[in-house]
Amino acid sequence: MATCISLPPPLSLSLSSPKIDGRNCLSWSSSFPIIKLSANSLIPSSSTLTPKQGFVVHAAWTRRSRSEAAKRPNRKSWKQRTDMYMRPFLLNVFFSKRFIHAKVMHRGTSKVVSVATTNAKDLRNALPSLTDNNACRVIGNLIAERSKEADVYAVAFEPDKNVRIEGRLAIILDTIQENGIIFV
């Protein structure tokens, strides 16, 4: 028993149930029809496409409008919802007048993965100055070393709005990067 469905010219499709020794099969897998497609008629020629047709699907605009944002101000954007999964480890660097403090923490659980500070007992007595460029290099080395021990090889650094990446901060970031940690 064969059933054929004829479609318009660009696509021809035929359906049939399988037969063994001239008999119809009654097994579960044989209940699915066999589909025969002819590939040469599936691809339309460029002359049959109008300017509005095409094979490219254009993505929808994903930014929320101002009116939509005003209606639901507490709704987070796509980036806010997914960023902690895409870049789970965050580097925080803090400079005070007396010491430098840096830590890598997991965003999802807020657990601290690695910490380095010039205010620690071993560094406080070993370094001549707790805030100079040499101290920044030491902090960068320690953070990279301790992050690798915790199997963290990629971190994100998000500077505040008016913070420039220069001077002591640049020294810490460069030292971390030179020691094999990737910034994402």
Side-chain angles (χ1 to χ4, degrees):
M1 176 174 170
T3 307
C4 279
I5 300 173
S6 57
L7 297 174
L11 176 66
S12 64
L13 176 72
S14 67
L15 301 173
S16 64
S17 60
K19 293 185 177 189
I20 298 176
D21 298 332
R23 299 175 307 176
N24 285 336
C25 298
L26 298 176
S27 67
W28 177 80
S29 62
S30 67
S31 64
F32 297 112
I34 297 173
I35 300 173
K36 296 177 183 175
L37 296 174
S38 58
N40 56 359
S41 65
L42 288 178
I43 303 171
S45 64
S46 60
S47 62
T48 61
L49 292 176
T50 61
K52 290 184 179 180
Q53 290 178 333
F55 293 113
V56 178
V57 176
H58 296 284
W61 187 257
T62 57
R63 186 177 159 264
R64 296 191 305 153
S65 65
R66 287 192 180 121
S67 62
E68 186 183 350
K71 289 176 192 171
R72 293 195 278 177
N74 294 333
R75 183 169 179 211
K76 293 181 179 179
S77 68
W78 176 258
K79 183 178 179 183
Q80 288 171 332
R81 285 183 281 164
T82 59
D83 201 36
M84 74 179 210
Y85 302 106
M86 303 299 262
R87 303 182 312 155
F89 297 102
L90 184 65
L91 173 69
N92 294 329
V93 181
F94 174 72
F95 296 98
S96 76
K97 291 181 181 179
R98 295 184 179 185
F99 64 91
I100 301 168
H101 181 80
K103 67 181 173 182
V104 174
M105 58 187 302
H106 189 263
R107 285 180 172 183
T109 59
S110 298
K111 290 189 177 180
V112 177
V113 175
S114 61
V115 177
T117 179
T118 55
N119 203 21
K121 283 184 181 180
D122 54 344
L123 292 179
R124 195 176 344 156
N125 299 328
L127 295 173
S129 172
L130 302 180
T131 58
D132 65 346
N133 294 346
N134 186 32
C136 292
R137 287 186 194 89
V138 169
I139 292 296
N141 285 331
L142 283 174
I143 279 289
E145 200 177 286
R146 293 173 182 172
S147 295
K148 285 181 186 177
E149 289 173 4
D151 290 333
V152 175
Y153 295 95
V155 297
F157 178 72
E158 295 176 354
D160 293 335
K161 189 174 182 180
N162 295 324
V163 173
R164 293 183 184 169
I165 299 178
E166 60 185 13
R168 296 184 299 168
L169 178 60
I171 292 172
I172 290 177
L173 297 178
D174 289 340
T175 308
I176 292 172
Q177 199 165 14
E178 287 168 5
N179 286 310
I181 302 293
I182 301 168
F183 285 96
V184 288

